[in-house]
Amino acid sequence: MSLKNVRLEVMQFLEKDVDTLIEKYLIPIETIWQPTDFLPDSEGPNFFEEVKEIRELAKDLPYDFWVVLVGDMITEEALPTYESWLMDVEGVGQIERNGWSKWVRHWTGEENRHGDVLNKYLYLSGRVNMREIEKTTQHLIADGFDIGTDRDPYKNFVYTSFQELATYISHNRVAKLAKERGNKQLSKMCRIISGDEMRHHNAYSEFVERIFAVDPSQMMMAFHYMMKQKITMPAHFLRESGGSIGSAFEEFSNTAQRIGVYTSMDYINILEKLLKRWEIEKITGLTDEAEKARDYLIKLPSRMTRIAERMKVPENSFQFKWVEPAKL
């Protein structure tokens, strides 16, 4: 049987539990938080006073903070790309609306709130150039992405397990920075977003655990493949208006690393957490090829650490069109 058919068989076998996993990891629409819970009430009598408070508190947040918050928001707003990609994964039935497509739609519904609340906050803050941000968002969706997973569910679940934890770290760190600057409402907003990301990370990690239980060698090979080629960030095609594809991503990454929101060491720590979570060292019944893949994965964090320790992050802030000097 071909690898593709084996994967389809495994996805069909695991599909019977998807409803249970939705109940375990996703929150009903009627009870989960909504963006308006963290924003001024446009129907209320104190709307303008609440907006004024947001704008006053925003003045105390530094330039690099705004760059990272904007980049995080744009990454979240490119959700149409992520949903269309996952809907095309082998075993996800978009036409027949099977359990896996139900998961993707419900997961998308939760994720959609993140970009929504951050977008509205940035608009009200008065600290950023929303038109430039909107252009970047449209570019990112139009340019799409290629995360190196093809339509392989095993590789895609490794990617989402990793990436959801990375977004948890980023939003949680932004929350801490906002709190340190006295912006409790923004801090709470980013912290609750990070909570969603952690739940989603745990879900995708369980998907991988379940695949390891029934197809350990091929799941190991998929994990090895993804880490050898490196996990590509979802906004790796990020660009500003007038720029080429991907031209803004490195500077955005440098900014995030400079203020400690997401660093090369975080990347390594995520890998270590996945190795521990999936108990890679204890998995049995592997083929010789999968055993070699496991050895590579176990040694990878120490190799990457040696490289990360030699890396230097530029000290100077890149001037993004998103945050203009006149608005500082």
Side-chain angles (χ1 to χ4, degrees):
M1 189 181 294
S2 69
L3 288 180
K4 176 181 175 181
N5 288 337
V6 170
R7 280 157 166 67
L8 281 172
E9 190 175 282
V10 170
M11 288 289 280
Q12 288 164 2
F13 173 73
L14 297 177
E15 186 193 343
K16 67 183 185 303
D17 298 321
V18 171
D19 281 344
T20 300
L21 291 166
I22 288 175
E23 291 179 8
K24 181 178 180 180
Y25 290 112
L26 301 182
I27 299 173
I29 295 170
E30 299 304 321
T31 56
I32 199 170
W33 66 270
Q34 295 298 333
T36 48
D37 297 337
F38 297 93
L39 297 164
D41 180 4
S42 61
E43 296 181 302
N46 300 320
F47 175 71
F48 293 107
E49 288 79 3
E50 292 169 0
V51 172
K52 184 178 180 181
E53 182 180 6
I54 285 177
R55 295 170 72 92
E56 284 298 316
L57 289 171
K59 292 177 181 178
D60 294 328
L61 298 170
Y63 174 82
D64 281 351
F65 177 92
W66 289 106
V67 169
V68 171
L69 187 61
V70 168
D72 282 354
M73 185 277 285
I74 293 169
T75 302
E76 296 284 357
E77 288 280 73
L79 183 62
T81 298
Y82 318 144
E83 181 186 24
S84 61
W85 187 280
L86 288 172
M87 275 294 194
D88 197 43
V89 168
E90 296 285 359
V92 179
Q94 184 161 198
I95 304 302
E96 62 271 26
R97 297 168 68 88
N98 68 2
W100 288 113
S101 63
K102 181 180 179 181
W103 166 269
V104 173
R105 293 194 307 274
H106 282 240
W107 168 84
T108 300
E110 286 202 358
E111 287 283 337
N112 186 65
R113 293 146 44 258
H114 301 169
D116 190 5
V117 69
L118 292 175
N119 188 311
K120 288 171 180 172
Y121 174 84
L122 287 168
Y123 175 76
L124 294 174
S125 75
R127 286 289 305 271
V128 297
N129 186 324
M130 284 304 299
R131 184 168 175 77
E132 285 295 334
I133 292 171
E134 289 159 357
K135 288 180 186 177
T136 296
T137 302
Q138 188 169 352
H139 273 304
L140 188 57
I141 295 172
D143 293 334
F145 72 177
D146 181 358
I147 53 177
T149 58
D150 199 358
R151 301 178 67 203
D152 184 339
Y154 294 15
K155 294 174 183 175
N156 273 283
F157 289 160
V158 169
Y159 181 86
T160 47
S161 297
F162 190 104
Q163 196 54 52
E164 293 283 14
L165 189 50
T167 51
Y168 159 78
I169 291 170
S170 181
H171 287 301
N172 194 48
R173 296 259 177 81
V174 168
K176 289 179 179 178
L177 290 173
K179 186 177 181 179
E180 289 170 3
R181 294 279 179 162
N183 199 321
K184 295 180 181 178
Q185 191 69 359
L186 177 57
S187 176
K188 186 177 180 182
M189 183 193 306
C190 293
R191 192 171 66 252
I192 201 164
I193 291 173
S194 73
D196 282 357
E197 305 290 10
M198 179 57 82
R199 278 191 296 105
H200 298 164
H201 157 71
N202 285 326
Y204 285 111
S205 294
E206 183 166 337
F207 297 170
V208 173
E209 285 172 347
R210 287 169 178 252
I211 296 172
F212 265 124
V214 295
D215 193 9
S217 291
Q218 285 305 311
M219 188 63 248
M220 189 71 72
M221 294 305 299
F223 187 17
H224 169 264
Y225 177 90
M226 291 305 297
M227 298 316 304
K228 190 169 185 179
Q229 75 159 10
K230 296 182 181 179
I231 298 293
T232 302
M233 296 298 113
H236 66 289
F237 283 170
L238 193 71
R239 60 164 152 165
E240 293 186 291
S241 60
S244 58
I245 292 179
S247 57
F249 180 71
E250 184 177 357
E251 294 295 348
F252 164 61
S253 297
N254 287 340
T255 304
Q257 178 134 308
R258 187 166 50 247
I259 64 173
V261 165
Y262 185 76
T263 70
S264 56
M265 289 306 300
D266 290 320
Y267 183 101
I268 298 167
N269 290 337
I270 291 172
L271 171 56
E272 290 177 327
K273 282 181 170 63
L274 294 179
L275 290 169
K276 183 178 180 180
R277 168 75 184 257
W278 295 330
E279 298 186 317
I280 296 302
E281 293 190 31
K282 298 179 182 179
I283 293 174
T284 58
L286 297 175
T287 62
D288 290 344
E289 188 180 21
E291 284 284 8
K292 291 178 182 177
R294 182 200 348 233
D295 289 343
Y296 173 88
L297 288 165
I298 291 171
K299 295 174 183 175
L300 187 56
S302 59
R303 292 175 183 172
M304 296 184 69
T305 299
R306 289 194 294 271
I307 296 171
E309 288 172 347
R310 295 195 298 268
M311 290 177 60
K312 292 186 178 180
V313 181
E315 295 181 5
N316 297 327
S317 298
F318 176 81
Q319 184 55 60
F320 284 91
K321 295 179 181 179
W322 310 330
V323 188
E324 298 175 338
K327 297 200 174 188
L328 294 180

